[in-house]
Amino acid sequence: MSKAAGVDHPAVVGKLSTLDRYLPVWIGVAMVAGLLLGRWIPGVNTVIEKVQIDGISLPIALGLLIMMYPVLAKVRYDRLDTVTGDKKLLAGSLVLNWVLGPALMFALAWLMLPDLPEYRTGLIIVGLARCIAMVIIWNDLACGDREAAAVLVAINSVFQVFMFAVLGWFYLSVLPGWLGLEQTTIDTSPWQIAKSVLIFLGIPLVAGFLSRYFGERARGRDWYDNRFIPAISPWALYGLLFTIVVLFALQGEQITSRPWDVVRIALPLLAYFALMWGGGYILGAAIGLGYERTTTLAFTAAGNNFELAIAVAIATYGATSGQALAGVVGPLIEVPVLVGLVYVSLALRKRFAAEEVSPGRESARS
């Protein structure tokens, strides 16, 4: 991302580059382009689906890797110990992501989709899949703490490998049984989840670390932060826009041919994003995390790993199932909502005292 305003310049949006400033426009264009491609070009979704290795979509993987690498290359890995020592941040993130998030989605799905079991199950699966990719972008656009985002995403990835199937069993079978509700199951394995984590987070994380390590050793930190980072930063948005086009092209026909179903699925998702993001912000402010880490806490709590949720839904229920459609609608709602919340975050930034921002961070931003 391009350089944001400093602490003494709260009008952050006015300092962004043209690319960043008109982000909602570019994302809107990418969403429409993807939907039209999927709707008007026969077989485009089939062609995209076939370009995969071991169940991993290469176009989506390419877009996510391009999107995440520049942001993770910006991370100051020598500062990670300041994050791992922040017990309030880590505890708050674990509670929001692994206790409150799945429980809230379960409640919203049952309250708002009691008559649509397929969509309800799909949303519960979405609630179990914590975000490990796009949240990096939203956090960076909102001037959150990059190092904290890297740590929290890594922790969520580890928990996802070990807890996704367990929580799926609990929220789809055990808890509904206790409450006298309809029960179901999911078919997934730790390896399937670990594979997603290794590809979508592991590769860009290692690449980002190696870039900073060798770049600083070869040319110095000043060159790395002020020359190299600005050169690669725009590619994060290029990767994001490419990923959005591919995601929407894959399901354009389903989304445009079932508008009322999309609306029904969208309502609990809207409530979920608002409540999780708002809860993260309130918690971060209450425990005194400061703007940057409060923002990181809120966005990591609100985001979801739709790639994983869609993959699990397709593997268990089929590509044309209602469960899969619920996962597909996720990005349709999440992308514009979280872009809007980026601007809300930037507007709230001036409410945090200047001393709450880590010294020297703004000079490291590019």
Side-chain angles (χ1 to χ4, degrees), residues 94-109 119-131 156 160 163-164 167-168 171-172 186 268-269 272-273 276 300-310 312-313 323 326-327 330 334:
L94 289 175
V95 170
L96 286 170
N97 279 286
W98 297 103
V99 179
L100 181 59
L104 176 62
M105 188 67 90
F106 174 86
L108 290 172
Y119 298 154
R120 184 178 65 235
T121 298
L123 286 185
I124 293 172
I125 294 173
V126 167
L128 301 176
R130 314 314 300 168
C131 192
N156 279 343
Q160 202 153 248
M163 296 302 297
F164 185 91
L167 289 174
Y171 281 105
L172 293 174
I186 58 173
L269 282 170
Y272 174 84
F273 294 137
M276 290 300 294
T300 53
N304 290 89
N305 185 350
F306 289 101
E307 297 79 25
L308 175 60
I310 293 169
V312 171
Q323 291 88 342
E334 182 187 71

Side-chain angles (χ1 to χ4, degrees), residues 255-274:
I255 291 173
T256 55
S257 63
R258 301 159 77 176
W260 177 239
D261 288 357
V262 170
V263 171
R264 289 289 306 273
I265 296 168
L267 293 176
L269 282 170
L270 284 169
Y272 174 84
F273 294 137

